[in-house]
Amino acid sequence: MVILDYGSGNLRSAERAVARAGADVEVTADPHAAVEADGLVVPGVGAYSACMAGLTAVKGHRIIGKRLAGGRPVLGICVGMQILFSRGVEHGEETEGTGEWPGVVDRLHADVLPHMGWNTVRAPADSQLFAGLDPDERFYFVHSYAARKWELDGLAGQEPKVTWAHHGEDFVAAVENGPLWATQFHPEKSGDAGAQLLRNWLATL
C-alpha cells in the first residue's frame, strides 16, 4: 500500500492511520511502486493550485490514470479528492485538475468558513465505504472549498455512489466510483469511524 508523496502535508498522520487499519504502508513518490501497489492513497492539504503543482511535478496525474486504467484502487483524501475533478477555483484563480470526474471545486456558500470540525454525512444505503457505520456518525472536516454538484452519470449498474454533507449548502463528502474512491473529510483524523472507513477500503484491495 502506497501513500503518494508529492509534497503535500499530512503524510505521516495518513500513514499511521492506514497502518493502524491493518496495511503495510510505504510513503513514496516512486512511480513504479505507486502504480504497482495494491492500493494508492492521494492525500492533500492546502491550496488546490499548490497540490496540483506538486502532483504534476511527480507525474502523479499519470500514476492515478495508469492505476485506474488497470482497475487498481485509488483513495483521495481532502484536496486529494478535489484534484480528481476537472478544475478548482480559488481566489479567482482557476487550476486544471486531473479530470477523472467532471465538475468544479469552488468556495462553499456558508456564513462560517472554513468548515472545520465534526459533521455527519448522508451515504447511500449500499455504500461499501460506510458499511457498518451508524448514519449519525461524525467525520472531521477542514475546508472552505468543495464540489457542490455531482455531474457524472455512471453506466447502467455502475452508477457512482455519492455521499453528501451540509455546511451552508450541500456538497460532495465522498465518492465510490469503480476503483476510484475519495473523501472530502479526513478519515485519519476521524477517530474510530475513520478507522472503520479505512478498513472498509482496505477490504476491497
Side-chain angles (χ1 to χ4, degrees):
M1 230 288 309
V2 162
I3 294 175
L4 186 62
D5 183 0
Y6 63 100
S8 178
N10 219 36
L11 292 171
R12 296 307 162 192
S13 59
E15 178 187 20
R16 287 192 298 270
V18 174
R20 279 199 302 270
D24 294 324
V25 189
E26 179 183 8
V27 177
T28 183
D30 177 70
H32 180 75
V35 169
E36 294 300 323
D38 289 340
L40 178 72
V41 174
V42 182
V45 294
Y48 190 107
S49 57
C51 280
M52 269 311 299
L55 192 74
T56 303
V58 301
K59 297 183 171 58
H61 55 305
R62 294 184 186 171
I63 291 169
I64 292 168
K66 279 185 180 178
R67 287 189 62 86
L68 296 177
R72 291 175 175 266
V74 175
L75 177 67
I77 295 175
C78 196
V79 186
M81 168 176 165
Q82 295 180 0
I83 52 90
L84 298 170
F85 288 89
S86 299
R87 58 196 174 95
V89 179
E90 290 185 352
H91 310 297
E93 178 184 2
E94 187 169 313
T95 303
E96 189 174 332
T98 63
E100 297 297 340
W101 295 323
V104 61
V105 170
D106 57 6
R107 191 174 177 87
L108 280 170
H109 297 149
D111 291 337
V112 177
L113 289 173
H115 172 217
M116 184 164 64
W118 299 86
N119 202 349
T120 55
V121 302
R122 304 190 309 278
D126 60 348
S127 168
Q128 291 178 270
L129 189 58
F130 293 91
L133 288 163
D134 191 288
D136 295 327
E137 200 65 74
R138 291 177 178 268
F139 298 89
Y140 192 79
F141 291 84
V142 186
H143 65 115
S144 298
Y145 298 82
R148 295 158 48 234
K149 297 177 182 175
W150 179 257
E151 300 181 18
L152 177 67
D153 292 325
L155 302 172
Q158 299 179 23
E159 286 83 4
K161 297 169 188 171
V162 181
T163 294
W164 297 86
H166 188 88
H167 180 74
E169 63 180 328
D170 284 350
F171 64 89
V172 178
V175 179
E176 299 159 67
N177 177 211
L180 183 57
W181 292 14
T183 65
Q184 176 60 67
F185 56 83
H186 288 275
E188 78 281 7
K189 296 180 180 178
S190 295
D192 292 343
Q196 177 65 50
L197 185 140
L198 289 172
R199 287 195 294 271
N200 288 346
W201 179 67
L202 290 170
T204 70
L205 304 187

